[in-house]
């Protein structure tokens, strides 16, 4: 098909090629070289035109009619250059005829069409480009018609970008960052109004961080609200956030849409720019108002848009840093109030990064003397120069910290601290590693409390018990000695009443003696000084001895001794502390007597269990039994069952001491009982290599 034919027909191309071109998304139009009349155009091109020029109406009409703005955008001049030079030329987006309102942007190419070597027509191929490109276009308009001017403009833009980016260098908190950035924007562009909002999506609000208002508007009260709720979709703030890019509102354009923009109502304000700062999410918004559109779009918008992601990131960082600093401050406030001394040692430097006032008080020095001091130089921790046990303590402390820095926990170490004035205190200290992000140990924490008074009390208490033991036992032993002597007299020599009195005094003295003994055991247990000295002994012999003593001295209950799977003369050897085993049997037996009515039966039994390599002893009574609520507690120190008969005296320590003694033997103790059903107390002692010897 020749151009001549086209000219004549002034109709779209025909045939397959024509069909393809007709449906291509690329817009194409053919113009003649004389008056630049439209010779042919596919459907895509026609759809770009204003409605009256669509559906073939434009064919045969000159370019300046179809696209009136072509003349002043330089498009006509470009056509002429292509016709004269015969060389293809790009049509940049800046040359977009403004009548193409429905198309965000486009660019194209002008190709000369030759017939017999002569340029007889020009083909315009147009490609619509996207919103992003529109944004880019708005940000970086490049006018190729004046390359020098464009270059200068680009240089200027870079200078602005540099100024804005440099402004955020030293800002660590969001507010200072906002102030610095607004300062830079003011220096570069002097807008009438400037505001920097921080976005708090979790609270659906924008918070004002900084603002700047030029002289004539300064009297307008609260131009920028301190908080803006992100609820109303029609606010320019929300629109800018939703479109994730700069939003421009102006007095001249889109008045209806912008009616929510209060800033446009201010005297002298023609145009307002909202630039959301994106870094994964919208971190904030910068608002700037100008007296002219050009100031906003040509000057401010390109550099500010380029900086927006960096500003977003810097704001997110500053917010994170501030939150961390605030959290740390809160933590320090709490730590500062604690009565325990706390010292944090940095893993990297070995220096004390933090010490609370209690630490300084306990160590007898001023807080600044501790802070920043390196671990091995610190007066508090350096063992050198200290003497004897203080040196040993300081070494232990250093080791605890070093262990903590290696990831270990050191708990409840007793350390003697020598204060600078020579005074000594005892502290209970623990050290632990502190891990940072990624699990790396960043610090070691040392926590210590003054236990000097406690230690002194402990000392006094154990001295008191030693004295009490001696003072209480001595007269008791004398009384019991004389009682035994009195009992030696033949029955005829002493009156029956006196004999009865002597027996009862002897019984009570024995009871008193056992109580003193138990109380002392509790004290020893508290300080872990209760020792069990085990020898190879016959368990049955020990139990038999206690049972026969009871049989001789007690007549209130019927006492049965029951052996299971062992002969009466057999022996059962194991490692036992004779006195302690007898004390356990004694405690269980005396409880059985105490808590069961006179005349009832009490059974003491022994059964070996060779599979488990242990021997089980039980004491069974027909007494009051124990309520289910009390059962879990009866082995606790000083515990007495709620529902037991309170007229029966006791301290609630017999079972506690028994359990400790059984456990010291590596055994177990338990009870089966219910209220009014009697009780059976079981004790299992390990036998180990013990064996049954039949005689
Ligand atoms: P106490 O000096 O009070 O007897 P124990 O430690 O020996 O102290 O016993 C703790 C509590 O367990 C007792 O107060 C009692 O309530 C309960 N208890 C111990 N043995 C028996 C028993 N054989 N029958 C019923 N209750 C018992």
């Amino acid at each position: 098909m020749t151009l001549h034919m086209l000219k004549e027909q002034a109709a779209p191309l025909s045939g397959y090629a024509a069909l393809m071109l007709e449906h291509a998304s690329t817009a194409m139009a053919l113009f003649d070289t004389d008056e630049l009349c439209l010779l042919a155009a596919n459907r895509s091109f026609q759809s770009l035109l204003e409605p009256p020029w669509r559906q073939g109406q434009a064919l045969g009409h000159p370019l300046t009619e179809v696209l009136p703005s072509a003349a002043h955008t330089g498009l006509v001049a470009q056509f002429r250059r292509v016709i004269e030079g015969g060389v293809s030329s790009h049509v940049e987006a800046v040359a977009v005829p403004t009548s193409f309102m429905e198309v965000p942007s486009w660019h194209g190419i002008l190709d000369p069409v030759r017939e017999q070597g002569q340029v007889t027509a020009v083909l315009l191929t147009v490609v619509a480009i996207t919103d992003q490109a529109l944004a880019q276009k708005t940000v970086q308009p490049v006018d190729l018609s004046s390359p020098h001017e464009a270059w200068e403009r680009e240089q200027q833009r870079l200078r602005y970008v540099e100024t804005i980016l440099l402004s955020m260098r030293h800002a660590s908190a969001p507010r200072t960052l906002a102030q610095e950035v607004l300062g830079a924007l003011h220096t570069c562009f002097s807008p009438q109004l400037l505001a920097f909002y921080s976005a708090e999506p979790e609270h659906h609000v924008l918070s004002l961080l900084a603002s700047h208002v030029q002289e004539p508007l300064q009297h307008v009260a609260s131009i920028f609200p301190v908080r803006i709720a992100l609820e109303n979709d029609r606010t320019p703030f929300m629109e800018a956030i939703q479109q994730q890019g700069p939003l421009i509102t102006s007095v001249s354009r889109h008045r209806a849409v912008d009616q929510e923009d209060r800033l446009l109502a201010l005297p002298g304000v023609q145009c307002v720019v909202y630039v959301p700062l994106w870094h994964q999410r919208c971190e904030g918004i910068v608002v700037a108002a100008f007296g002219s559109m050009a100031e906003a779009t040509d000057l401010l918008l390109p550099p500010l848009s380029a900086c927006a992601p960096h500003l977003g990131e810097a704001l997110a960082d500053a917010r994170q840093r501030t939150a961390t600093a605030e959290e740390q401050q809160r933590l320090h406030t709490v730590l500062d109030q604690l009565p325990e001394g706390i010292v944090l040692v940095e893993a990297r430097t070995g220096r004390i990064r933090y010490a609370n006032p209690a630490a300084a008080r306990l160590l007898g020095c001023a807080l600044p003397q501790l802070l920043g001091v390196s671990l091995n130089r610190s007066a508090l921790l350096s063992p050198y120069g200290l003497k004897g046990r203080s040196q040993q303590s300081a070494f232990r402390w250093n080791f605890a910290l070093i262990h903590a820095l290696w990831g270990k926990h050191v708990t409840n170490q007793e350390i003697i601290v020598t204060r600078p004035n020579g005074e000594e205190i005892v502290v209970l200290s623990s050290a632990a590693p502190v891990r940072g992000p990624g699990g790396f140990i960043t610090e070691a924490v040392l926590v210590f409390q003054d236990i000097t008074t406690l230690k002194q009390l402990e000392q006094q208490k154990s001295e008191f018990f030693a004295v009490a033991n001696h003072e209480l036992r001595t007269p008791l032993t004398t009384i019991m000695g004389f009682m035994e002597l009195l009992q030696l007299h033949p029955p005829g020599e002493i009156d029956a009443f006196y004999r009865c009195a002597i027996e009862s005094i002897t019984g009570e003295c024995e009871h008193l003696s056992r109580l003193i003994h138990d109380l002392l055991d509790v004290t020893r247990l508290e300080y872990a000084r209760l020792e069990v000295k085990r020898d190879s002994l016959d368990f049955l012999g020990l139990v038999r001895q206690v049972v026969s003593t009871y049989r001789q001295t007690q007549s209130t209950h019927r006492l049965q001794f029951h052996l299971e799977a062992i002969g009466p003369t057999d022996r059962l050897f194991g490692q036992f502390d004779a006195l302690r085993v007898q004390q356990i049997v004694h405690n269980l037996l005396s409880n059985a007597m105490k808590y069961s009515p006179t005349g009832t039966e009490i059974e003491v039994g022994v059964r070996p269990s060779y599979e488990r390599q242990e021997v089980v002893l039980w004491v069974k009574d027909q007494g009051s039994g124990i309520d289910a609520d009390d059962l879990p507690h009866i082995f606790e120190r000083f515990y007495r069952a709620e529902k037991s008969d309170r007229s029966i005296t006791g301290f609630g320590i017999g079972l506690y001491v028994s359990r400790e003694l059984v456990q010291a033997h590596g055994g177990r103790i338990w009870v089966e009982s219910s209220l009014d059903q009697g009780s059976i107390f079981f004790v299992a002692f390990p036998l180990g290599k013990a064996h049954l010897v039949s005689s």
Side-chain angles (χ1 to χ4, degrees):
M1 185 183 308
T2 63
L3 185 63
H4 184 70
M5 287 162 69
L6 273 171
K7 247 183 193 174
E8 272 185 1
Q9 292 170 11
L13 295 166
S14 62
Y16 290 126
L19 205 66
M20 282 157 64
L21 290 174
E22 187 62 20
H23 292 283
S25 60
T26 311
M28 283 187 269
L30 197 68
F31 293 86
D32 73 8
T33 48
D34 302 328
E35 293 170 43
L36 304 182
C37 286
L38 182 64
L39 300 174
N42 69 354
R43 199 173 293 171
S44 295
F45 185 86
Q46 290 185 47
S47 69
L48 296 177
L49 302 174
E50 295 286 345
W53 293 112
R54 293 177 189 172
Q55 277 136 20
Q57 312 296 331
L59 294 176
H61 289 269
L63 175 69
T64 45
E65 262 181 59
V66 178
L67 300 169
S69 56
H72 58 83
T73 54
L75 194 59
V76 171
Q78 212 171 340
F79 262 83
R80 290 281 167 227
R81 280 200 293 276
V82 170
I83 294 163
E84 279 158 29
V87 181
S88 299
S89 171
H90 281 278
V91 181
E92 292 299 332
V94 282
V96 176
T98 49
S99 50
F100 284 7
M101 289 308 292
E102 286 171 38
V103 182
S105 181
W106 57 276
H107 68 84
I109 188 157
L110 285 175
D111 286 311
V113 179
R114 285 191 173 81
E115 261 191 329
Q116 294 156 3
Q118 284 276 312
V119 177
T120 51
V122 179
L123 181 67
L124 170 64
T125 315
V126 176
V127 180
I129 53 177
T130 60
D131 285 350
Q132 283 164 325
L134 177 65
Q136 203 184 356
K137 173 187 78 76
T138 322
V139 170
Q140 298 166 301
V142 179
D143 186 353
L144 287 185
S145 59
S146 49
H148 180 71
E149 204 180 299
W151 182 82
E152 290 237 303
R153 201 184 289 184
E154 182 61 13
Q155 290 302 308
Q156 181 67 287
R157 187 182 76 89
L158 289 175
R159 275 196 295 277
Y160 289 151
V161 167
E162 193 182 1
T163 313
I164 299 168
L165 293 182
L166 283 177
S167 72
M168 48 192 230
R169 256 185 325 175
H170 303 300
S172 55
R175 207 165 285 279
T176 43
L177 174 82
Q179 282 160 354
E180 294 290 329
V181 170
L182 291 199
L185 292 176
H186 178 70
T187 315
C188 297
F189 313 107
S190 305
Q192 287 162 309
L193 301 170
L194 268 173
F196 195 125
Y197 278 93
S198 155
E200 294 169 28
E202 56 277 17
H203 301 120
H204 301 286
V205 287
L206 291 170
S207 302
L208 184 66
L209 290 177
S211 62
H212 192 279
V213 180
Q214 288 273 57
E215 192 50 63
L217 290 172
Q218 270 170 351
H219 67 279
V220 185
S222 64
I223 292 180
F224 294 109
V226 177
R227 281 166 94 77
I228 298 173
L230 290 175
E231 281 154 4
N232 186 352
D233 277 1
R234 280 172 57 82
T235 64
F237 289 96
M238 248 333 232
E239 262 185 63
I241 291 174
Q242 277 165 355
Q243 75 179 30
Q244 302 191 8
L247 176 87
I248 304 169
T249 61
S250 69
V251 170
S252 54
R253 281 194 335 174
H254 313 300
R255 180 120 207 150
V257 178
D258 296 336
Q259 56 186 231
E260 292 282 348
D261 196 344
R262 295 181 321 109
L263 299 179
L264 288 178
L266 294 169
V269 174
Q270 288 293 311
C271 158
V272 186
V273 182
Y274 297 83
V275 181
L277 311 175
W278 280 87
H279 172 65
Q280 290 160 2
R281 59 168 214 186
C282 178
E283 295 290 340
I285 288 193
V286 172
V287 184
F290 290 90
S292 84
M293 183 79 166
E295 280 177 290
T297 52
D298 299 350
L299 282 178
L300 170 105
L301 208 48
L304 186 55
S305 301
C307 293
H310 306 287
L311 286 175
E313 191 178 351
L315 185 57
D317 277 358
R319 205 183 277 144
Q320 180 69 40
R321 265 200 303 272
T322 309
T324 314
E326 279 172 4
E327 188 57 47
Q328 230 172 30
Q329 188 52 45
R330 257 199 300 277
L331 191 68
H332 282 185
T333 313
V334 173
L335 295 182
D336 284 353
Q337 303 310 313
L338 290 180
E340 286 87 11
I342 294 167
V343 169
L344 280 175
V345 177
E346 266 184 338
R348 198 169 48 84
T349 59
R351 288 172 193 278
I352 297 174
R353 186 181 70 74
Y354 168 82
N356 69 349
R361 189 168 27 80
L362 289 176
L363 299 167
C365 53
L367 201 52
Q369 279 177 279
L370 289 177
L371 300 177
V373 179
S374 112
L375 178 64
N376 53 6
R377 294 244 179 110
S378 118
L380 110 91
L381 299 168
S382 173
Y384 309 106
L386 296 176
K387 294 223 169 72
R389 57 193 193 137
S390 302
Q391 189 181 64
Q392 209 181 358
S393 279
F395 269 126
R396 286 174 68 199
W397 220 351
N398 265 352
F399 275 120
L401 271 173
I402 291 164
H403 267 82
L405 290 174
W406 276 94
K408 294 198 175 119
H409 290 251
V410 183
T411 44
N412 295 338
Q413 270 193 323
E414 276 184 23
I415 307 270
I416 297 163
V417 173
T418 312
R419 287 177 170 158
N421 62 5
E423 197 184 340
E424 276 189 348
I425 60 162
V426 187
V427 298
L428 190 69
S429 91
S430 297
V434 179
R435 292 177 191 274
F440 293 110
I441 297 171
T442 52
E443 285 164 332
V445 61
L446 188 73
V447 183
F448 50 97
Q449 54 178 318
D450 185 358
I451 54 162
T452 317
T453 325
L454 267 179
K455 285 302 251 184
Q456 283 164 353
L457 268 178
E458 187 184 307
Q459 178 74 17
Q460 284 166 2
K461 218 162 142 187
S462 77
E463 277 166 16
F464 167 78
F465 276 104
V467 173
N469 185 22
H470 182 260
E471 295 298 309
L472 291 172
R473 269 172 188 270
T474 315
L476 212 53
T477 318
T478 318
I479 297 170
M480 284 166 80
F482 280 112
M483 287 300 150
E484 272 171 30
L485 278 178
L486 284 174
Q487 278 175 324
L488 286 177
H489 285 275
E493 281 181 27
I494 303 178
D495 179 290
F497 169 75
Y498 285 114
R499 179 161 295 281
C500 177
I502 288 164
E503 270 173 15
S504 132
I505 293 170
T506 311
E508 290 306 315
C509 281
E510 274 167 7
H511 179 61
L512 198 57
S513 164
R514 274 199 301 276
L515 274 181
I516 293 170
H517 201 258
D518 276 355
L519 270 175
L520 286 169
D521 275 351
V522 171
T523 321
R524 287 193 194 107
L525 279 168
E526 261 180 45
Y527 302 114
R529 291 203 194 121
L530 191 122
E531 283 176 21
V532 172
K533 292 182 194 125
R534 291 196 274 178
D535 289 312
S536 182
L537 293 169
D538 170 26
F539 182 76
L540 291 175
L542 296 174
V543 180
R544 255 192 214 106
Q545 226 177 330
V546 182
V547 173
S548 70
T549 314
Y550 262 80
R551 275 199 178 128
Q552 283 164 20
T553 53
Q554 305 289 333
S555 52
T556 51
H557 294 77
R558 284 177 284 126
L559 195 56
Q560 300 294 335
F561 187 41
H562 182 83
L563 293 177
E564 227 177 81
I566 352 173
T569 51
D570 286 351
R571 286 183 292 166
L572 199 58
F573 281 94
Q575 294 291 318
F576 301 106
D577 181 326
L579 285 177
R580 296 308 189 180
V581 169
Q582 288 185 332
Q583 188 181 347
I584 296 162
V585 182
H586 187 93
N587 277 346
L588 297 181
L589 251 174
S590 68
N591 273 353
M593 287 186 171
K594 247 177 17 178
Y595 297 103
S596 62
T598 312
T600 53
E601 186 182 288
I602 293 173
E603 179 184 287
V604 178
V606 178
R607 175 183 65 224
S609 163
Y610 295 110
E611 307 84 67
R612 299 189 64 157
Q613 294 203 319
E614 61 184 20
V615 55
V616 180
L617 167 116
W618 68 89
V619 178
K620 181 180 174 187
D621 64 50
Q622 297 169 348
S624 58
I626 302 163
D627 187 76
D629 289 345
D630 291 314
L631 269 180
H633 305 289
I634 55 165
F635 293 101
E636 288 168 14
R637 195 173 48 157
F638 302 127
Y639 190 86
R640 305 207 67 216
E642 284 288 311
K643 303 219 168 83
S644 72
D645 183 352
R646 284 287 162 164
S647 66
I648 304 169
T649 56
F651 282 149
I653 53 176
L655 288 181
Y656 165 69
V657 172
S658 301
R659 187 191 61 179
E660 297 297 313
L661 292 175
V662 170
Q663 285 176 352
H665 276 87
R668 298 172 288 132
I669 184 165
W670 70 101
V671 60
E672 286 173 7
S673 180
S674 51
L675 210 53
D676 301 326
Q677 301 297 313
S679 316
I680 317 180
F681 282 84
F682 295 91
V683 180
F685 287 107
L687 282 177
K689 290 190 195 119
H691 48 276
L692 182 70
V693 180
S694 301
S695 52

